[in-house]
Amino acid sequence: MSSTAATTVMERCARLGAISEEPDRLTRRFASPAMQQANALVSAWMAEAGLAVRFDPIGNLIGRYEADQPDAKTLLLGSHLDTVRDAGRYDGPLGVLLALACVAELAAQGRRLPFAIEVLAFADEEGLRYHSTYLGSAALAGSFDRANLALADDQGITMAEAIRAFGGDPDQLEECRRDPGELLGYCEVHIEQGPLLEACDLPVGVVQAIAGQSRISVGFSGVAGHAGTVPMALRQDALCAAAEFVLAVEAHGRQIAGLVATVGQLQVAPSASNVIPGLTTLSLDVRHPVDQWRLAACAMLHELAQQIATARGCTLSWLPRQSTPAVPCTPQLTDLLAQAVQAQGYRLQEINSGAGHDAVALAGLTAVAMLFVRCQGGISHNPAESVTTEDVAVALATLSTFVGLLASEVAK
Ligand code: HGY
Ligand code: MN
Ligand code: MN
Protein backbone atom coordinates (compact mmCIF):
# COMPACT_ATOMS: atom_id res chain seq x y z
CA MET A 1 0.00 0.00 0.00
CA SER A 2 2.51 2.58 1.13
CA SER A 3 4.70 3.09 -1.93
CA THR A 4 1.85 3.72 -4.38
CA ALA A 5 0.06 5.87 -1.85
CA ALA A 6 3.32 7.68 -1.11
CA THR A 7 3.71 8.49 -4.79
CA THR A 8 0.20 9.94 -4.76
CA VAL A 9 1.07 12.04 -1.70
CA MET A 10 4.15 13.39 -3.48
CA GLU A 11 2.16 14.18 -6.65
CA ARG A 12 -0.47 15.97 -4.60
CA CYS A 13 2.16 18.00 -2.73
CA ALA A 14 3.44 19.09 -6.13
CA ARG A 15 -0.04 20.08 -7.29
CA LEU A 16 -0.69 22.03 -4.09
CA GLY A 17 2.76 23.57 -4.40
CA ALA A 18 1.62 25.20 -7.63
CA ILE A 19 -1.25 27.03 -5.90
CA SER A 20 0.21 30.36 -4.85
CA GLU A 21 -0.62 34.07 -4.51
CA GLU A 22 2.58 34.86 -6.38
CA PRO A 23 3.44 33.82 -9.95
CA ASP A 24 7.04 32.74 -9.42
CA ARG A 25 7.12 31.33 -5.88
CA LEU A 26 4.92 29.53 -3.35
CA THR A 27 3.16 31.88 -0.96
CA ARG A 28 -0.27 30.90 0.44
CA ARG A 29 -1.55 33.04 3.29
CA PHE A 30 -4.46 32.63 5.67
CA ALA A 31 -7.90 33.30 4.11
CA SER A 32 -6.42 34.15 0.71
CA PRO A 33 -7.83 33.18 -2.71
CA ALA A 34 -4.92 30.72 -2.99
CA MET A 35 -6.09 29.08 0.24
CA GLN A 36 -9.60 28.82 -1.27
CA GLN A 37 -8.13 27.00 -4.27
CA ALA A 38 -6.00 24.72 -2.07
CA ASN A 39 -9.00 23.92 0.13
CA ALA A 40 -11.11 23.14 -2.94
CA LEU A 41 -8.50 20.68 -4.22
CA VAL A 42 -7.96 18.93 -0.87
CA SER A 43 -11.68 18.75 -0.09
CA ALA A 44 -12.21 17.05 -3.49
CA TRP A 45 -9.54 14.50 -2.59
CA MET A 46 -11.17 13.99 0.81
CA ALA A 47 -14.61 13.46 -0.77
CA GLU A 48 -13.09 11.07 -3.34
CA ALA A 49 -11.71 9.01 -0.44
CA GLY A 50 -15.16 8.81 1.14
CA LEU A 51 -14.74 11.36 3.93
CA ALA A 52 -17.52 13.76 4.95
CA VAL A 53 -16.12 17.24 4.25
CA ARG A 54 -16.88 20.50 6.03
CA PHE A 55 -15.32 23.90 6.81
CA ASP A 56 -15.50 25.48 10.24
CA PRO A 57 -16.12 29.25 10.80
CA ILE A 58 -12.42 30.20 10.72
CA GLY A 59 -11.77 28.27 7.52
CA ASN A 60 -10.27 24.98 8.75
CA LEU A 61 -11.02 22.16 6.29
CA ILE A 62 -12.17 18.96 8.03
CA GLY A 63 -12.66 15.51 6.51
CA ARG A 64 -14.39 12.96 8.78
CA TYR A 65 -14.30 9.13 8.57
CA GLU A 66 -16.91 7.55 10.83
CA ALA A 67 -16.22 4.83 13.39
CA ASP A 68 -17.70 1.32 13.50
CA GLN A 69 -20.15 2.58 16.10
CA PRO A 70 -21.95 5.86 16.83
CA ASP A 71 -20.80 7.90 19.87
CA ALA A 72 -17.22 6.65 19.46
CA LYS A 73 -14.41 9.09 20.19
CA THR A 74 -12.42 10.79 17.43
CA LEU A 75 -8.72 10.72 16.52
CA LEU A 76 -7.52 13.95 14.90
CA LEU A 77 -4.81 13.82 12.22
CA GLY A 78 -3.50 16.52 9.90
CA SER A 79 -1.43 19.69 9.67
CA HIS A 80 -1.70 23.12 7.95
CA LEU A 81 -2.19 24.25 4.34
CA ASP A 82 -0.92 27.81 4.64
CA THR A 83 2.73 28.58 3.88
CA VAL A 84 5.48 31.12 4.52
CA ARG A 85 6.61 33.40 1.69
CA ASP A 86 8.65 31.62 -1.01
CA ALA A 87 7.94 28.33 0.75
CA GLY A 88 8.72 24.72 0.16
CA ARG A 89 5.85 22.44 -0.83
CA TYR A 90 5.99 19.98 2.11
CA ASP A 91 5.83 22.14 5.28
CA GLY A 92 2.19 21.52 6.25
CA PRO A 93 0.66 19.86 3.16
CA LEU A 94 2.71 16.68 3.63
CA GLY A 95 1.03 16.12 7.01
CA VAL A 96 -2.45 16.78 5.65
CA LEU A 97 -2.04 14.57 2.58
CA LEU A 98 -0.29 11.76 4.41
CA ALA A 99 -3.12 11.66 6.98
CA LEU A 100 -5.63 11.59 4.11
CA ALA A 101 -3.75 8.72 2.43
CA CYS A 102 -3.87 6.76 5.70
CA VAL A 103 -7.65 7.18 6.03
CA ALA A 104 -8.23 6.62 2.29
CA GLU A 105 -6.59 3.21 2.68
CA LEU A 106 -8.95 2.29 5.53
CA ALA A 107 -11.91 3.42 3.44
CA ALA A 108 -10.68 1.47 0.40
CA GLN A 109 -10.51 -1.65 2.57
CA GLY A 110 -13.97 -0.89 3.99
CA ARG A 111 -12.42 -0.98 7.48
CA ARG A 112 -14.10 0.87 10.33
CA LEU A 113 -12.28 1.40 13.62
CA PRO A 114 -13.58 1.80 17.17
CA PHE A 115 -13.04 5.54 16.73
CA ALA A 116 -13.75 8.12 14.06
CA ILE A 117 -10.85 9.88 12.33
CA GLU A 118 -10.83 13.52 11.24
CA VAL A 119 -8.25 14.81 8.80
CA LEU A 120 -7.65 18.50 9.58
CA ALA A 121 -6.21 21.03 7.15
CA PHE A 122 -5.58 24.03 9.38
CA ALA A 123 -6.21 27.54 8.07
CA ASP A 124 -3.15 29.31 9.46
CA GLU A 125 -0.10 27.92 11.22
CA GLU A 126 2.63 30.20 9.85
CA GLY A 127 1.06 33.55 10.77
CA LEU A 128 2.38 35.18 7.58
CA ARG A 129 -0.63 37.44 7.03
CA TYR A 130 -1.28 38.65 10.59
CA HIS A 131 1.98 37.86 12.44
CA SER A 132 0.11 35.74 14.96
CA THR A 133 0.00 31.99 14.43
CA TYR A 134 -1.98 28.79 15.02
CA LEU A 135 -5.19 30.69 14.20
CA GLY A 136 -7.01 27.60 12.90
CA SER A 137 -5.78 25.16 15.53
CA ALA A 138 -6.29 27.70 18.34
CA ALA A 139 -9.91 28.17 17.26
CA LEU A 140 -10.40 24.40 17.33
CA ALA A 141 -8.70 24.20 20.74
CA GLY A 142 -10.83 27.05 22.11
CA SER A 143 -7.81 29.27 22.77
CA PHE A 144 -8.31 31.75 19.92
CA ASP A 145 -7.71 35.33 21.08
CA ARG A 146 -10.60 37.43 19.72
CA ALA A 147 -8.38 40.52 19.88
CA ASN A 148 -6.67 39.04 16.80
CA LEU A 149 -9.79 39.84 14.75
CA ALA A 150 -8.89 43.53 14.79
CA LEU A 151 -5.35 42.95 13.46
CA ALA A 152 -4.85 44.44 10.00
CA ASP A 153 -2.71 42.92 7.26
CA ASP A 154 -0.33 44.85 4.97
CA GLN A 155 -3.33 46.02 2.91
CA GLY A 156 -5.22 47.18 5.99
CA ILE A 157 -7.72 44.31 5.83
CA THR A 158 -8.69 43.17 9.33
CA MET A 159 -8.72 39.48 10.21
CA ALA A 160 -12.49 39.64 10.74
CA GLU A 161 -12.96 41.08 7.23
CA ALA A 162 -10.63 38.44 5.76
CA ILE A 163 -12.55 35.61 7.47
CA ARG A 164 -15.87 36.95 6.14
CA ALA A 165 -14.49 37.41 2.64
CA PHE A 166 -13.24 33.82 2.83
CA GLY A 167 -16.76 32.59 3.62
CA GLY A 168 -16.15 32.10 7.34
CA ASP A 169 -17.84 33.84 10.25
CA PRO A 170 -15.76 35.67 12.88
CA ASP A 171 -18.83 35.87 15.12
CA GLN A 172 -19.15 32.08 15.24
CA LEU A 173 -15.60 31.08 16.13
CA GLU A 174 -16.91 29.45 19.28
CA GLU A 175 -18.37 26.77 16.98
CA CYS A 176 -14.84 25.71 16.00
CA ARG A 177 -14.07 24.64 19.57
CA ARG A 178 -14.01 20.86 20.07
CA ASP A 179 -15.08 19.00 23.20
CA PRO A 180 -11.96 17.29 24.61
CA GLY A 181 -14.17 14.52 25.98
CA GLU A 182 -14.92 13.46 22.41
CA LEU A 183 -11.26 13.18 21.40
CA LEU A 184 -8.61 10.48 21.65
CA GLY A 185 -5.82 12.84 20.64
CA TYR A 186 -4.04 14.51 17.73
CA CYS A 187 -1.17 13.09 15.70
CA GLU A 188 0.72 15.26 13.21
CA VAL A 189 3.23 14.13 10.60
CA HIS A 190 5.59 16.94 9.54
CA ILE A 191 8.96 17.36 7.86
CA GLU A 192 11.72 17.68 10.44
CA GLN A 193 12.96 21.04 9.10
CA GLY A 194 16.31 20.22 10.67
CA PRO A 195 19.40 18.03 10.02
CA LEU A 196 19.15 15.35 12.74
CA LEU A 197 17.36 12.51 10.92
CA GLU A 198 19.64 12.91 7.91
CA ALA A 199 22.67 12.79 10.22
CA CYS A 200 21.26 9.63 11.86
CA ASP A 201 20.41 8.15 8.46
CA LEU A 202 16.80 7.60 9.57
CA PRO A 203 13.60 8.27 7.60
CA VAL A 204 11.43 9.17 10.60
CA GLY A 205 11.72 10.27 14.23
CA VAL A 206 9.36 10.80 17.16
CA VAL A 207 8.97 14.27 18.64
CA GLN A 208 9.32 14.57 22.43
CA ALA A 209 8.72 18.31 22.85
CA ILE A 210 8.15 21.49 20.81
CA ALA A 211 10.08 24.67 21.67
CA GLY A 212 8.23 27.72 22.92
CA GLN A 213 8.32 30.82 20.75
CA SER A 214 7.91 34.58 21.09
CA ARG A 215 7.13 36.91 18.19
CA ILE A 216 7.51 40.67 18.67
CA SER A 217 7.06 43.65 16.31
CA VAL A 218 9.85 46.17 16.99
CA GLY A 219 10.02 49.74 15.67
CA PHE A 220 12.70 52.45 15.75
CA SER A 221 11.47 55.96 15.04
CA GLY A 222 14.14 58.62 14.34
CA VAL A 223 14.11 61.68 12.07
CA ALA A 224 13.99 61.49 8.29
CA GLY A 225 16.39 63.97 6.76
CA HIS A 226 18.34 65.06 3.71
CA ALA A 227 21.16 62.63 2.98
CA GLY A 228 23.28 65.48 1.63
CA THR A 229 22.88 68.12 4.28
CA VAL A 230 22.49 66.53 7.74
CA PRO A 231 25.93 66.01 9.35
CA MET A 232 26.56 62.45 10.57
CA ALA A 233 26.80 63.56 14.21
CA LEU A 234 23.36 65.15 14.10
CA ARG A 235 21.43 62.21 12.68
CA GLN A 236 18.70 60.13 14.32
CA ASP A 237 18.91 57.37 11.76
CA ALA A 238 16.25 54.69 12.37
CA LEU A 239 17.94 52.18 10.04
CA CYS A 240 21.30 52.40 11.80
CA ALA A 241 19.48 51.81 15.09
CA ALA A 242 17.74 48.76 13.61
CA ALA A 243 20.99 47.47 12.12
CA GLU A 244 22.76 47.73 15.48
CA PHE A 245 19.83 45.87 17.08
CA VAL A 246 19.82 43.10 14.45
CA LEU A 247 23.49 42.36 15.17
CA ALA A 248 22.80 42.49 18.92
CA VAL A 249 20.04 39.89 18.44
CA GLU A 250 22.45 37.61 16.58
CA ALA A 251 25.15 38.06 19.22
CA HIS A 252 22.72 37.23 22.04
CA GLY A 253 21.45 34.17 20.22
CA ARG A 254 25.01 32.90 19.84
CA GLN A 255 25.75 33.43 23.53
CA ILE A 256 22.91 31.40 25.09
CA ALA A 257 22.89 27.61 24.57
CA GLY A 258 19.65 26.40 23.00
CA LEU A 259 18.48 29.91 22.11
CA VAL A 260 17.61 30.98 18.57
CA ALA A 261 16.76 34.61 17.82
CA THR A 262 15.91 35.91 14.36
CA VAL A 263 15.00 39.15 12.63
CA GLY A 264 13.21 37.93 9.50
CA GLN A 265 11.47 41.08 8.33
CA LEU A 266 12.65 44.68 8.20
CA GLN A 267 10.81 47.60 6.57
CA VAL A 268 12.44 51.03 6.09
CA ALA A 269 10.56 54.31 5.65
CA PRO A 270 10.48 56.41 3.62
CA SER A 271 12.94 54.16 1.74
CA ALA A 272 14.53 56.67 -0.65
CA SER A 273 18.22 56.65 -1.46
CA ASN A 274 18.73 60.33 -0.57
CA VAL A 275 16.65 60.32 2.65
CA ILE A 276 17.96 59.36 6.09
CA PRO A 277 15.52 56.63 7.27
CA GLY A 278 13.03 58.02 9.78
CA LEU A 279 11.30 54.77 10.68
CA THR A 280 12.13 51.06 10.70
CA THR A 281 9.86 48.19 11.72
CA LEU A 282 11.20 44.68 12.19
CA SER A 283 10.05 41.25 13.35
CA LEU A 284 11.75 39.43 16.21
CA ASP A 285 11.40 35.66 16.65
CA VAL A 286 12.87 34.13 19.84
CA ARG A 287 12.77 30.43 20.79
CA HIS A 288 14.14 28.11 23.42
CA PRO A 289 13.12 24.64 24.74
CA VAL A 290 12.96 26.13 28.26
CA ASP A 291 10.41 28.95 28.65
CA GLN A 292 12.23 30.95 31.29
CA TRP A 293 15.33 31.15 29.07
CA ARG A 294 13.18 32.37 26.18
CA LEU A 295 11.41 34.98 28.32
CA ALA A 296 14.71 36.15 29.83
CA ALA A 297 16.15 36.56 26.33
CA CYS A 298 13.13 38.64 25.25
CA ALA A 299 13.53 40.89 28.30
CA MET A 300 17.27 41.28 27.64
CA LEU A 301 16.70 42.13 23.96
CA HIS A 302 13.99 44.62 24.90
CA GLU A 303 16.48 46.38 27.21
CA LEU A 304 19.16 46.35 24.51
CA ALA A 305 16.73 47.82 21.97
CA GLN A 306 15.84 50.61 24.38
CA GLN A 307 19.53 51.41 25.04
CA ILE A 308 20.24 51.55 21.30
CA ALA A 309 17.22 53.76 20.64
CA THR A 310 18.10 56.16 23.46
CA ALA A 311 21.77 56.42 22.40
CA ARG A 312 20.68 57.27 18.85
CA GLY A 313 17.91 59.74 19.70
CA CYS A 314 15.24 57.35 18.45
CA THR A 315 12.07 56.14 20.13
CA LEU A 316 11.36 52.43 20.44
CA SER A 317 8.09 50.57 19.93
CA TRP A 318 7.95 46.99 21.24
CA LEU A 319 4.75 45.05 20.50
CA PRO A 320 4.60 41.40 21.61
CA ARG A 321 2.53 39.53 19.04
CA GLN A 322 2.72 36.00 20.42
CA SER A 323 4.19 34.01 23.25
CA THR A 324 3.57 30.26 23.18
CA PRO A 325 5.07 27.97 25.83
CA ALA A 326 7.19 24.91 25.13
CA VAL A 327 4.95 21.85 24.79
CA PRO A 328 5.80 18.24 25.72
CA CYS A 329 4.17 15.58 23.55
CA THR A 330 1.86 13.16 25.39
CA PRO A 331 3.69 9.97 26.47
CA GLN A 332 0.76 7.57 25.99
CA LEU A 333 0.30 8.62 22.36
CA THR A 334 4.01 9.08 21.70
CA ASP A 335 4.77 5.59 23.00
CA LEU A 336 2.38 4.09 20.43
CA LEU A 337 4.05 6.16 17.72
CA ALA A 338 7.46 4.90 18.89
CA GLN A 339 6.21 1.30 18.69
CA ALA A 340 4.90 2.01 15.19
CA VAL A 341 8.32 3.31 14.08
CA GLN A 342 10.09 0.25 15.48
CA ALA A 343 7.54 -2.00 13.78
CA GLN A 344 8.89 -0.64 10.46
CA GLY A 345 12.31 -1.97 11.47
CA TYR A 346 13.91 1.37 12.37
CA ARG A 347 15.51 2.34 15.63
CA LEU A 348 13.77 5.02 17.62
CA GLN A 349 15.19 8.55 17.33
CA GLU A 350 13.66 11.06 19.72
CA ILE A 351 13.70 14.71 18.63
CA ASN A 352 12.84 18.09 20.11
CA SER A 353 11.24 20.45 17.62
CA GLY A 354 12.65 23.98 17.27
CA ALA A 355 9.85 24.71 14.83
CA GLY A 356 6.34 25.44 16.05
CA HIS A 357 3.42 23.27 14.94
CA ASP A 358 -0.36 23.13 15.25
CA ALA A 359 0.24 20.40 17.84
CA VAL A 360 1.26 23.25 20.19
CA ALA A 361 -2.26 24.68 20.09
CA LEU A 362 -3.90 21.23 20.17
CA ALA A 363 -1.89 20.30 23.28
CA GLY A 364 -4.20 22.62 25.20
CA LEU A 365 -7.15 20.48 24.14
CA THR A 366 -6.05 16.84 23.88
CA ALA A 367 -3.13 14.40 23.82
CA VAL A 368 -0.64 15.14 21.03
CA ALA A 369 2.06 13.22 19.19
CA MET A 370 4.25 14.12 16.21
CA LEU A 371 6.21 12.11 13.68
CA PHE A 372 9.02 13.85 11.81
CA VAL A 373 10.07 12.92 8.29
CA ARG A 374 13.67 13.41 7.13
CA CYS A 375 14.12 16.33 4.77
CA GLN A 376 17.17 16.88 2.64
CA GLY A 377 19.81 19.04 4.31
CA GLY A 378 17.22 19.96 6.96
CA ILE A 379 16.23 22.74 4.56
CA SER A 380 12.79 24.28 5.06
CA HIS A 381 10.97 27.61 4.64
CA ASN A 382 12.76 27.52 1.32
CA PRO A 383 11.68 26.24 -2.12
CA ALA A 384 14.57 23.75 -1.97
CA GLU A 385 12.69 21.84 0.79
CA SER A 386 12.52 18.17 -0.23
CA VAL A 387 11.67 14.67 0.98
CA THR A 388 11.93 11.28 -0.76
CA THR A 389 9.00 9.08 -1.76
CA GLU A 390 10.67 6.21 0.13
CA ASP A 391 10.71 8.19 3.39
CA VAL A 392 7.11 9.28 2.84
CA ALA A 393 6.20 5.60 2.37
CA VAL A 394 7.86 4.77 5.72
CA ALA A 395 6.00 7.64 7.40
CA LEU A 396 2.71 6.45 5.91
CA ALA A 397 3.28 2.86 7.03
CA THR A 398 4.22 4.18 10.48
CA LEU A 399 1.05 6.30 10.74
CA SER A 400 -1.12 3.37 9.63
CA THR A 401 0.56 1.10 12.19
CA PHE A 402 0.05 3.79 14.86
CA VAL A 403 -3.67 3.98 14.03
CA GLY A 404 -3.89 0.19 14.23
CA LEU A 405 -2.13 0.10 17.61
CA LEU A 406 -4.47 2.80 18.91
CA ALA A 407 -7.46 0.82 17.67
CA SER A 408 -6.23 -2.22 19.62
CA GLU A 409 -5.82 -0.05 22.71
CA VAL A 410 -9.33 1.42 22.38
CA ALA A 411 -10.88 -1.99 21.70
CA LYS A 412 -9.48 -3.41 24.98
O1 HGY B 1 7.84 29.20 12.57
C1 HGY B 1 7.64 28.01 12.81
O2 HGY B 1 8.25 27.40 13.66
C2 HGY B 1 6.58 27.29 12.04
O3 HGY B 1 7.07 26.98 10.79
N1 HGY B 1 5.40 28.09 11.97
MN1 MN C 1 4.70 23.66 9.47
MN1 MN D 1 6.62 26.43 8.75
Side-chain angles (χ1 to χ4, degrees):
M1 172 274 266
S2 294
S3 61
T4 316
T7 304
T8 303
V9 168
M10 294 294 277
E11 287 163 356
R12 289 179 168 181
C13 283
R15 283 189 62 188
L16 272 177
I19 298 177
S20 173
E21 300 174 41
E22 298 181 294
D24 51 3
R25 57 186 189 172
L26 174 54
T27 302
R28 196 165 59 229
R29 294 175 304 158
F30 170 67
S32 61
M35 273 301 275
Q36 289 281 21
Q37 281 179 276
N39 277 348
L41 191 55
V42 177
S43 53
W45 289 333
M46 287 179 170
E48 186 187 303
L51 280 65
V53 178
R54 70 180 180 92
F55 290 93
D56 71 7
I58 198 165
N60 293 318
L61 168 59
I62 300 163
R64 182 173 172 86
Y65 184 68
E66 292 301 344
D68 60 4
Q69 58 202 293
D71 309 331
K73 292 202 172 192
T74 301
L75 171 67
L76 303 177
L77 302 176
S79 191
H80 60 95
L81 282 185
D82 68 306
T83 74
V84 293
R85 186 168 286 117
D86 198 9
R89 64 176 67 161
Y90 300 106
D91 173 3
L94 179 69
V96 175
L97 295 170
L98 204 141
L100 176 54
C102 175
V103 178
E105 187 56 30
L106 290 171
Q109 294 165 354
R111 271 182 69 198
R112 294 282 174 182
L113 303 177
F115 48 81
I117 300 179
E118 289 188 10
V119 177
L120 305 174
F122 286 117
D124 176 85
E125 188 277 335
E126 300 290 0
L128 178 60
R129 185 167 182 178
Y130 290 101
H131 308 295
S132 58
T133 185
Y134 309 144
L135 295 179
S137 39
L140 191 134
S143 57
F144 180 87
D145 178 357
R146 288 190 60 81
N148 283 331
L149 293 172
L151 291 175
D153 68 6
D154 299 347
Q155 283 75 40
I157 300 170
T158 67
M159 190 184 294
E161 289 163 344
I163 292 171
R164 277 194 198 90
F166 194 70
D169 184 348
D171 301 324
Q172 300 296 327
L173 297 188
E174 271 309 301
E175 275 182 35
C176 303
R177 178 197 291 254
R178 304 303 289 272
D179 173 0
E182 292 169 357
L183 303 176
L184 284 176
Y186 171 70
C187 183
E188 180 170 0
V189 179
H190 201 285
I191 54 170
E192 180 200 345
Q193 300 176 302
L196 185 63
L197 288 175
E198 197 169 56
C200 297
D201 192 22
L202 285 170
V204 293
V206 175
V207 177
Q208 296 304 302
I210 303 166
Q213 62 176 281
S214 294
R215 295 192 186 185
I216 299 154
S217 294
V218 183
F220 291 94
S221 173
V223 176
H226 196 300
T229 60
V230 180
M232 295 304 286
L234 299 181
R235 294 183 177 198
Q236 291 157 265
D237 185 325
L239 181 53
C240 290
E244 186 176 347
F245 179 64
V246 170
L247 291 178
V249 167
E250 182 193 40
H252 197 63
R254 287 173 186 268
Q255 272 169 0
I256 309 290
L259 185 73
V260 282
T262 313
V263 174
Q265 290 174 306
L266 194 156
Q267 281 90 21
V268 185
S271 190
S273 62
N274 59 350
V275 178
I276 302 164
L279 177 68
T280 48
T281 48
L282 46 91
S283 64
L284 177 62
D285 179 312
V286 180
R287 309 192 191 194
H288 195 285
V290 178
D291 289 336
Q292 52 265 46
W293 283 96
R294 169 173 57 88
L295 298 174
C298 290
M300 168 64 83
L301 291 171
H302 188 175
E303 218 173 282
L304 270 176
Q306 189 55 68
Q307 285 166 13
I308 291 168
T310 306
R312 290 177 172 274
C314 294
T315 49
L316 174 71
S317 69
W318 187 268
L319 178 65
R321 291 275 195 169
Q322 176 207 332
S323 176
T324 41
V327 163
C329 290
T330 313
Q332 295 83 341
L333 223 48
T334 301
D335 290 348
L336 288 180
L337 198 52
Q339 288 174 45
V341 168
Q342 290 163 320
Q344 310 317 313
Y346 293 100
R347 69 174 173 80
L348 181 61
Q349 177 58 51
E350 296 179 342
I351 299 183
N352 286 321
S353 174
H357 300 287
D358 287 303
V360 168
L362 271 281
L365 176 75
T366 188
V368 297
M370 283 197 77
L371 182 73
F372 271 177
V373 184
R374 170 170 48 187
C375 61
Q376 192 175 4
I379 296 169
S380 181
H381 286 189
N382 179 316
E385 191 176 274
S386 76
V387 294
T388 64
T389 308
E390 294 71 24
D391 285 356
V392 170
V394 172
L396 185 50
T398 302
L399 185 64
S400 301
T401 305
F402 165 78
V403 168
L405 291 170
L406 186 61
S408 310
E409 286 289 305
V410 170
K412 278 178 186 169

